[in-house]
């Protein structure tokens, strides 16, 4: 039994319902979902297109709100917050990794990683120090002044991971983080995410359609038609 299996939940979802309106039609997306994510767990969310996995990720990351139900992250009921309070909470507690990196093309790698720190009260020197440390942690200490156009896809995703780490967030959410990468680059990024999970104890929730990517997680949560169909524990590589 691994340590994360005994850890208290860092995320708790209870009876989450979510739907969207399309014209006059209400389209149900999530139907009464409840589960916990342990502190330090690496969880993969899988399911067919339209199953609700990206919606679920956005709710966990406080990008969106459920129609009903409760979400607690690190003991905080995020549904009770106003928009300004929620934005501040999200900036401090959630690191984001996207499929297409979402880097600013006119900024260097260092400046891209610094961006989340602009919302803090840190000095310019401290922001730079933390950004340099984050880039070093993902193996890009020699690329701090390079622009996204000067980096490979895998290197750009490493910059995005450094940006997600730089605030030392409670939770890292990743939406198809290897979907735009070739197989070798994808393997490197997944190995890096696993390393950050093991060595830093970061809780990671990853949406993926790739079984090879999901195999890096501790567990796989399968969604189908807005409901949890199965939770699958992933055997340890060790």
């Amino acid at each position: 039994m691994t340590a994360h299996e005994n850890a208290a939940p860092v995320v708790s979802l209870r009876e989450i319902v979510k739907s969207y309106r399309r014209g006059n039609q209400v389209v149900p997306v999530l139907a009464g979902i409840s589960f916990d994510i342990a502190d330090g767990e690496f969880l993969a969310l899988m399911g067919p297109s339209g199953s609700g996995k990206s919606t679920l990720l956005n709710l966990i990351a406080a990008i969106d709100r459920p129609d009903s139900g409760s979400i607690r992250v690190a003991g905080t009921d995020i549904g009770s917050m106003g928009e300004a309070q929620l934005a501040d909470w999200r900036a401090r507690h959630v690191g984001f990794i996207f499929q297409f990196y979402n880097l600013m093309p006119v900024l260097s790698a260092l400046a891209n990683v610094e961006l989340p720190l602009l919302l803090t009260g840190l000095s310019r020197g401290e922001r730079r120090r933390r950004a340099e440390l984050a880039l070093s942690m993902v193996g890009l200490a020699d690329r701090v002044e390079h622009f996204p156009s000067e980096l490979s896809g895998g290197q750009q995703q490493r910059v995005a991971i450094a940006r997600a780490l730089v605030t030392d967030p409670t939770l890292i959410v990743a939406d198809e983080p290897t979907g735009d990468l070739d197989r070798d680059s994808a393997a490197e990024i997944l190995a890096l995410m696993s390393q950050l999970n093991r060595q830093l104890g970061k809780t990671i929730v990853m949406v993926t359609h790739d079984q090879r990517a999901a195999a890096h997680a501790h567990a796989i949560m399968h969604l189908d038609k807005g409901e949890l169909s199965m939770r699958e524990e992933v055997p340890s590589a060790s």
Side-chain angles (χ1 to χ4, degrees):
M1 180 174 289
T2 56
H4 67 83
E5 291 177 272
N6 289 324
V10 71
V11 179
S12 293
L13 297 95
R14 294 293 178 267
E15 296 299 323
I16 296 300
V17 174
K18 182 66 179 177
S19 60
Y20 293 107
R21 186 170 293 277
R22 185 181 299 157
N24 293 325
Q25 183 182 13
V26 176
V27 180
V29 182
L30 298 174
I33 285 183
S34 299
F35 68 93
D36 293 333
I37 303 172
D39 188 16
E41 185 171 14
F42 189 166
L43 177 68
L45 298 176
M46 299 192 75
S49 178
S51 61
K53 55 189 184 297
S54 290
T55 296
L56 182 56
L57 191 75
N58 288 341
L59 293 173
I60 292 170
I63 296 174
D64 201 356
R65 294 179 183 266
D67 298 337
S68 63
S70 67
I71 303 175
R72 299 185 70 86
V73 180
T76 299
D77 180 1
I78 60 177
S80 65
M81 297 182 185
E83 290 302 324
Q85 186 182 15
L86 193 60
D88 178 68
W89 178 90
R90 193 166 50 235
R92 289 183 290 111
H93 289 281
V94 185
F96 298 90
I97 306 171
F98 304 97
Q99 178 177 349
F100 298 110
Y101 327 132
N102 285 16
L103 301 179
M104 297 289 288
V106 297
L107 298 180
S108 67
L110 184 71
N112 267 287
V113 175
E114 269 191 276
L115 282 175
L117 298 178
L118 296 177
L119 300 173
T120 70
L122 295 174
S123 68
R124 183 178 180 181
E126 180 62 14
R127 292 198 307 268
R128 182 182 178 92
R129 187 190 71 79
R130 292 194 184 192
E132 287 176 340
L133 177 61
L135 284 165
S136 177
M137 290 172 64
V138 300
L140 291 179
D142 59 342
R143 295 288 190 272
V144 294
E145 299 301 336
H146 285 61
F147 290 87
S149 62
E150 299 172 317
L151 301 172
S152 68
Q155 288 172 332
Q156 289 183 62
Q157 192 62 294
R158 285 175 180 267
V159 174
I161 292 172
R163 181 184 58 194
L165 283 172
V166 74
T167 59
D168 191 21
T170 304
L171 182 67
I172 293 176
V173 296
D175 195 354
E176 299 282 6
T178 60
D180 197 46
L181 299 175
D182 62 67
R183 184 168 180 170
D184 289 344
S185 296
E188 291 177 0
I189 291 301
L190 290 164
L192 174 60
M193 291 175 64
S194 295
Q195 179 183 354
L196 296 173
N197 169 255
R198 290 193 311 271
Q199 295 184 0
L200 300 183
K202 289 299 178 186
T203 305
I204 301 175
V205 185
M206 174 179 68
V207 163
T208 183
H209 67 278
D210 185 348
Q211 189 68 42
R212 289 173 301 189
H216 286 73
H218 297 141
I220 303 170
M221 196 82 76
H222 295 268
L223 280 83
D224 189 24
K225 297 178 181 178
E227 298 182 351
L228 295 178
S229 61
M230 179 176 61
R231 178 185 166 102
E232 173 189 356
E233 301 300 322
V234 177
S236 172
S238 59

